[in-house]
Amino acid sequence: MNARTPVSPLPASGVLMSLADTAAAIRKGGFLSIAADEALLRQLPQGHWLAGSIPYFMGQGGGETTRDQLFVTALPVPGAAPRLCWYNQHNLSQIALDAPAHGLTVLIVPAFSEVHSLYAREAPGFEDMYMKPIVGWIAGVHLDDLGRAAPVVANGQTLSFRQDQALAIHIPLPETLYPRIEILNLFQPGPGDEISFPSTGFSAQECFVNGRLVNLAQYLVEQGVDTRLPLVADYSGAMINVSFKAVDAAAGQVDFYAPVFDDVVYRIAQPVPGYSQAFARALPPDAHGASWSCNCILNYLYGELEGQRTGPITGPMTFGEIAYQLLNQTMVYVSLEAV
């Protein structure tokens, strides 16, 4: 096998820009991935871009919350022109089949929508999934607006906005380029109890703790579990997180940001001291060449990353990350490498 070497990178994995500068970049005709507050997205001119709503970013100056700037990433288009496609709950399972035989797909999904739930639960079983490189993120809103505003996804070619559909850009690549997807998860399973679930879903009342059926909310309260730490499981060698959204002890219910699966054993994660420094230490040297990235809003909040850097990588801080399947509390980045 030929050794792979990094291609000369695009200008970082994206930058925060003003509305005027973003509009100028669009008018130059390139294909762009954009993240910003919805009000800014609706002021952009028509062009080759796709976008999702979010006001949290790892910018070139560090972690930042802003409704006044847009995060812009120039997508690699070294071959044929990319294709933008909308997906709803009826055709979402076709996403990998629609992807180019050799290329990269970037997907943006509005949080709390039916397509979000469907992708989270069923994407691992979609036909051709894991055979075609797919990355992406879950669009969100400012946390102050939860319950009052809905996340949106936008197609710049048609200037159409959707709260109930996902948007993908399928990017063909020449055979000489290989998109390498990396998942950077700081969490490892702790030494505590084994936790499993009787059914798959975004919420749970009962679970098995070391084989004994218990109420999960009661267990978390009694054990004094820090729910900023996710559940972690080994998915075929990759550590995958499921983050806690809410624990309602009175109702005996726990809600998650991603589904738990009924055939997986989880443990509460070990604590991670020094989030920003841990990210910088965990990144390999070639991460400097990353051409696209996203990170989790929970890492931003719990790690107190505002004003902090996570190494050289920039990107939106999202309501979920996609590296084939839905992830939580994880950084995802893509590097293009010469074969």
Side-chain angles (χ1 to χ4, degrees):
M1 180 179 294
N2 294 332
R4 297 188 175 109
T5 56
V7 175
S8 296
L10 298 165
S13 43
V15 293
L16 280 170
M17 299 173 66
S18 68
L19 179 60
D21 287 345
T22 303
I26 290 170
R27 293 190 179 101
K28 289 180 180 178
F31 284 81
L32 306 175
S33 175
I34 301 174
D37 188 80
E38 179 184 353
L40 286 182
L41 297 177
R42 290 190 177 274
Q43 298 177 62
L44 293 175
Q46 193 168 11
H48 299 305
W49 55 270
L50 76 164
S53 58
I54 200 74
Y56 304 100
F57 310 98
M58 183 54 63
Q60 55 270 36
E64 184 171 348
T65 304
T66 176
R67 297 178 189 256
D68 299 324
Q69 295 189 82
L70 305 93
F71 192 90
V72 182
T73 303
L75 295 171
V77 186
R83 185 165 56 98
L84 273 70
C85 298
W86 286 108
Y87 291 94
N88 57 32
Q89 59 265 43
H90 303 296
N91 68 343
L92 184 62
S93 62
Q94 300 296 307
I95 185 169
L97 294 174
D98 292 345
H102 184 80
L104 174 69
T105 293
V106 179
L107 174 67
I108 307 179
V109 182
F112 317 126
S113 63
E114 288 295 325
V115 288
H116 179 201
S117 176
L118 179 64
Y119 193 90
R121 290 182 286 108
E122 299 187 15
F126 289 170
E127 189 171 352
D128 267 10
M129 183 60 71
Y130 303 107
M131 303 298 292
K132 309 280 187 67
I134 298 176
V135 296
W137 59 282
I138 308 301
V141 295
H142 196 288
L143 295 178
D144 290 346
D145 296 337
L146 283 175
R148 296 190 289 113
V152 298
V153 174
N155 182 334
Q157 293 180 337
T158 58
L159 293 181
S160 52
F161 287 70
R162 298 282 188 274
Q163 299 177 358
D164 59 349
Q165 295 186 39
L167 182 64
I169 184 166
H170 298 296
I171 307 170
L173 295 174
E175 295 290 338
T176 54
L177 291 181
Y178 170 80
R180 178 167 60 88
I181 298 173
E182 295 289 348
I183 300 171
L184 201 164
N185 183 0
L186 298 182
F187 295 99
Q188 293 290 326
D193 297 326
E194 292 187 348
I195 301 172
S196 58
F197 296 88
S199 60
T200 295
F202 276 86
S203 61
Q205 291 186 327
E206 294 181 324
C207 71
F208 294 99
V209 175
N210 300 327
R212 182 172 62 91
L213 189 65
V214 302
N215 178 268
L216 177 59
Q218 183 179 351
Y219 168 80
L220 295 173
V221 171
E222 289 177 350
Q223 297 295 316
V225 172
D226 181 354
T227 53
R228 293 176 300 178
L229 300 173
L231 293 169
V232 185
D234 186 337
Y235 286 56
S236 302
M239 294 301 164
I240 303 297
N241 305 327
V242 174
S243 302
F244 293 99
K245 183 179 181 182
V247 178
D248 188 334
Q253 179 163 305
V254 177
D255 296 324
F256 307 102
Y257 282 105
V260 291
F261 291 92
D262 59 2
D263 57 350
V264 175
V265 175
Y266 301 87
R267 283 188 167 88
I268 303 295
Q270 300 180 48
V272 177
Y275 258 75
S276 59
Q277 296 88 349
F279 271 114
R281 288 193 300 269
L283 285 169
D286 61 2
H288 288 264
S291 56
W292 180 93
S293 180
C294 68
N295 203 334
C296 184
I297 181 64
L298 297 180
N299 285 335
Y300 182 85
L301 295 175
Y302 300 159
E304 299 179 343
L305 295 181
E306 189 158 4
Q308 303 295 315
R309 294 297 309 273
T310 53
I313 292 185
T314 56
M317 310 296 293
T318 71
F319 277 34
E321 306 76 58
I322 295 170
Y324 300 102
Q325 68 186 73
L326 179 68
L327 306 172
N328 286 162
Q329 284 181 259
T330 302
M331 176 191 285
V332 173
Y333 67 92
V334 180
S335 298
L336 290 185
E337 299 182 343
V339 178

